[in-house]
Amino acid sequence: MVVRLGGYARISLDKNGEELGVERQRRDYRQVAGVRPGWEVARDYVDNDVSAFKRNVVRPEFERLLVDLQSRVIDGVIAYDLDRLARQPRDLERLIDVFEERPELVFCTVTNDIDLSTSDGRTMARVMVAFANKSSADTGRRVARKHRELADAGKNGGGFPPFGWKEDRVTIDPDQAALITKAHDDLLAGTRLSTIVTEWQAKNVQTSRNTGKPITRVAVKGILKNPRLAGFRAVKHQKHIGADGKPVMGIWEPICTPEKLDAVIAVLEGVRTQYTTSNQSNNHKYLLSGILRCAECGTRMLANMRSSWKEGSKGSRFFYRCPAVSDGGCGKVSRAGEPIDRHVINLIHDAEAKLKAPKSEAAEWSGAVRLAEVTQEISELIAAMNTKRISATTAIAMLEPLERERDELEYERNKHTVEKIKATAATVDLSEEFERLPIERQRAVILKHVRAIVVHSAGRGARKFNPDLLDVVWAA
C-alpha cells in the first residue's frame, strides 16, 4: 500500500530569494521517506521567506496542506522539524484537530519521532511548540532592543539596503538618487504618482530585493516618502524620536531637505488639498478640459473624441464642447480641439520665454523662526516627560496646543515649498520638452500662466480657426 505524504518546508528569512534553506529541508525529508516501505512524497508544500511566529502572517502552503489532509488528497505529513510546521500553539492545534479526525494519518519529522495520532505524541508536540514559541518571543525582544539601540544612535538596522543608497547604506547611489529627486520634482509640479510608477517600470527599476517583477505603486510611494531621504532615522516608516524629544538623524548622506520631503508627503497623502485649485485636477485626458469656458454660460468645457475620426483622416480628432443643459451647461459652443491646443501652446511658449530672464530668488518663508521655536518647545516637553520632571498629564495638556500650531506652520511651509518648486519645475522649453511631458505636467505649465480661456461660438458651418474668438484670462 502506498502512503502519499505531503512534504512541508519553511524558512522565515530568505534575503536573496534563492530558496536554498527550503531546498535542504526538501532533500532531507525526501531521503527519510525514501527508506520507508511504501512511503511517497506526493507533493511539496513550501512557504519560503515566511514566518510561522508572527500572528498576522498567513502561510498559503500551510493552509493548503491542512485542506489537502482534510479532503484526503494526502495520507500524512513529513517535515524536517516540528517547528517548521508550527511556532504558534493555535496552528499546532489546527493540525492536531485534523489528526484526531483521521487517526490513520502518518506524521514524521527528520529530527524527532512524534506521533500526532496518540495522546502522548500530541502532548509532546504541544510542549515542543510552546518552547519554540517562547524562543521566538525571546529572540524578538532581543532583536527589538537591539534595533532600538541602533535607532537611538542613528545607525542602520538590518534588512535590504534602502533604495537610494549603496550596499554600505551610507553612501548615496547617484542613479537611484537621481530617480528620487526627479520623482519629487515631478510630483510637486503636478505629475501623478501613477505616471511616475509607469516611467520606473519602463526603465525596469528594481528595489534591492530585485524580484524581477515590475516595481509596484506601493513600493514607489514608500521609497518617495522614506524619512531617511531627509537624513532621519526611521522605525516602522516613521521618524524615530530620541530621548531628547527630537527626531534622530542618521549617519548616512541625505538625498533631499526635510522641507521638500514634507511637501512631497503632503502631496502623496492628499493632505490639505488646497494646494491645488479645482481646475487643476489630474484626471483630465485632454490638455484644456476644464480650462476652457463657454462664453454663453461660463460653464467649463469638456473634450470628446470624434466618433467618425479615423487614422489618416483630415480634421481634428476631438472637440471641446459646453455640456448639455441636463449636465449643467447650455450646449451652444463646440470647437475643434487640436487648433485650440496648438494656439494655446504657442501663447504659453511666449510666456515661458519671459521667465528665462534673470529673476531674484523667491522670498523665504516668513514662519521659519516661529516653527523652530515651537518645535524646540515640543522637544523640551517630551524630554521633560521622559525624564519624569513633569507628569504625562501635564505634558500632554501643554503639548496639544503646540502640536496644533506646529501642524499649521508645517502646512504653510509645505505650501510655500510646493509653490516655490512649481515655479521652477513647471518651466520648460516648449519647443523641445513640452510634448514629452505627461498631460498633468503640461496642464501645470499652462495653469501657471492662465486662469481660464473663454471660448466664443464660431457660428454654423465649417470655418477656419480664429484666435480672436478666444479670450485668455491670464493669471496675476
Side-chain angles (χ1 to χ4, degrees), residues 188 263 274-276 280 362 413-425 448:
L188 295 176
Q274 298 95 315
Y275 285 175
T276 57
Q280 287 176 303
R413 183 194 63 189
N414 294 345
K415 182 179 178 182
H416 179 271
T417 302
V418 171
E419 295 304 325
K420 184 177 179 180
I421 292 175
K422 276 185 177 180
T424 55
K448 185 173 61 176

Side-chain angles (χ1 to χ4, degrees), residues 27-41:
R27 187 169 59 247
D28 288 349
Y29 67 60
R30 280 180 172 271
Q31 184 177 7
V32 170
V35 299
R36 300 289 183 95
W39 282 21
E40 172 189 291
V41 178

Side-chain angles (χ1 to χ4, degrees), residues 204-217:
N204 194 31
V205 175
Q206 295 282 320
T207 64
S208 53
R209 277 183 175 268
N210 194 18
T211 62
K213 298 178 181 179
I215 194 167
T216 64
R217 178 187 178 92

Side-chain angles (χ1 to χ4, degrees), residues 378 381-382 385 390-404:
I378 290 173
L381 278 173
I382 293 175
M385 181 177 65
I390 59 174
S391 68
T393 303
T394 301
I396 290 172
M398 297 172 69
L399 279 171
E400 286 181 345
L402 288 172
E403 288 173 339
R404 284 195 296 269

Side-chain angles (χ1 to χ4, degrees), residues 94-328:
R94 293 172 65 198
L95 186 61
I96 287 175
D97 286 344
V98 177
F99 274 79
E100 287 182 333
E101 292 174 6
R102 296 186 60 196
E104 77 279 5
L105 288 175
V106 172
F107 184 84
C108 178
T109 66
V110 175
T111 58
N112 293 288
D113 189 11
I114 297 175
D115 186 358
L116 290 184
S117 64
T118 68
S119 176
D120 289 344
R122 292 194 291 271
T123 300
M124 181 59 68
R126 289 180 174 117
V127 171
M128 292 175 66
V129 168
F131 273 101
N133 181 271
K134 182 180 185 304
S135 175
S136 293
D138 291 343
T139 300
R141 283 192 292 271
R142 289 194 298 270
V143 170
R145 185 172 62 184
K146 180 63 177 179
H147 280 303
R148 175 70 190 223
E149 292 174 355
L150 291 172
D152 288 342
K155 296 180 179 179
N156 286 298
F160 292 92
F163 191 89
W165 286 266
K166 296 183 178 179
E167 288 290 334
D168 63 7
R169 309 182 189 194
V170 174
T171 308
I172 289 175
D173 183 309
D175 295 332
Q176 293 181 353
L179 284 170
I180 292 170
T181 300
K182 181 179 182 300
H184 279 182
D185 290 342
D186 288 349
L187 278 170
L188 295 176
T191 301
R192 289 172 290 184
L193 177 61
S194 58
T195 301
I196 294 170
V197 173
T198 301
E199 290 176 355
W200 283 27
Q201 289 175 344
K203 295 176 181 178
N204 194 31
V205 175
Q206 295 282 320
T207 64
S208 53
R209 277 183 175 268
N210 194 18
T211 62
K213 298 178 181 179
I215 194 167
T216 64
R217 178 187 178 92
V218 172
V220 175
K221 187 176 181 180
I223 288 169
L224 300 181
K225 289 173 52 183
N226 192 347
R228 69 174 285 132
L229 294 175
F232 296 111
R233 178 61 162 92
V235 174
K236 295 184 178 180
H237 313 295
Q238 300 293 326
K239 295 177 187 175
H240 179 61
I241 305 300
D244 60 356
K246 298 179 180 179
V248 176
M249 304 306 294
I251 61 174
W252 50 84
E253 302 176 53
I255 291 176
C256 70
T257 64
E259 294 77 16
K260 187 174 184 180
L261 180 63
D262 285 346
V264 167
I265 292 173
V267 170
L268 286 172
E269 297 299 332
V271 177
R272 307 289 281 277
T273 53
Q274 298 95 315
Y275 285 175
T276 57
T277 57
S278 59
N279 65 347
Q280 287 176 303
S281 169
N282 282 337
N283 297 323
H284 295 291
K285 295 181 180 179
Y286 295 90
L287 187 65
L288 301 175
S289 291
I291 299 175
L292 301 180
R293 285 183 178 269
C294 172
E296 299 290 330
C297 65
T299 302
R300 298 183 191 278
M301 298 176 69
L302 305 176
N304 290 101
M305 178 70 73
R306 289 190 184 278
S307 58
S308 60
W309 188 88
K310 295 181 180 179
E311 192 70 37
S313 62
K314 295 181 179 180
S316 179
R317 293 176 301 164
F318 66 97
F319 60 94
Y320 293 107
R321 63 173 180 82
C322 178
V325 175
S326 59
D327 294 324

